[in-house]
Amino acid sequence: MTDEACRADVWLWRARFFKTRTLAATFIDEGRIRLTRAGHESRVDKPARPVKVGDALVFALGGKLIAVTVAALGERRGPPAEARTLYAKLDAS
């Protein structure tokens, strides 16, 4: 795996949006995540779809709309403080 991209399910799990990679993969399989890269918006259709630094992800989780930009890919699933460094919230304006 290169340093430039990470599987979508792995990144969501590392960023602590999901407790397990299986939950993240199921969420992605249901087509519930939108990815914006270089101005092109698409649906993340497979858990193995790569995400890169600078990508914007939008999804609804727990009744909240989450819009984040991928700031880092991470090396592991660390503590919550470390997980928060993997993304930056987008302003929903």
Side-chain angles (χ1 to χ4, degrees):
M1 178 176 289
T2 67
D3 292 335
E4 301 161 4
C6 178
R7 286 175 56 113
D9 62 337
V10 172
W11 188 85
L12 287 165
W13 173 70
R14 285 179 182 165
R16 293 187 162 263
F17 288 111
F18 295 93
K19 288 187 178 189
T20 67
R21 273 184 62 191
T22 305
L23 285 172
T26 302
F27 194 81
I28 292 168
D29 280 334
E30 292 171 357
R32 296 169 61 184
I33 298 182
R34 291 212 157 272
L35 167 78
T36 304
R37 179 182 296 155
H40 177 72
E41 187 175 305
S42 62
R43 196 176 294 277
V44 179
D45 54 351
K46 310 192 257 197
R49 187 70 65 215
V51 294
K52 299 178 180 181
V53 172
D55 288 353
L57 300 174
V58 178
F59 54 97
L61 186 63
K64 293 182 181 175
L65 187 64
I66 298 172
V68 295
T69 301
V70 178
L73 299 177
E75 306 248 333
R76 65 187 183 123
R77 180 178 164 96
E82 184 179 312
R84 283 191 292 273
T85 66
L86 300 182
Y87 60 90
K89 292 188 188 277
L90 291 173
D91 291 329
S93 54

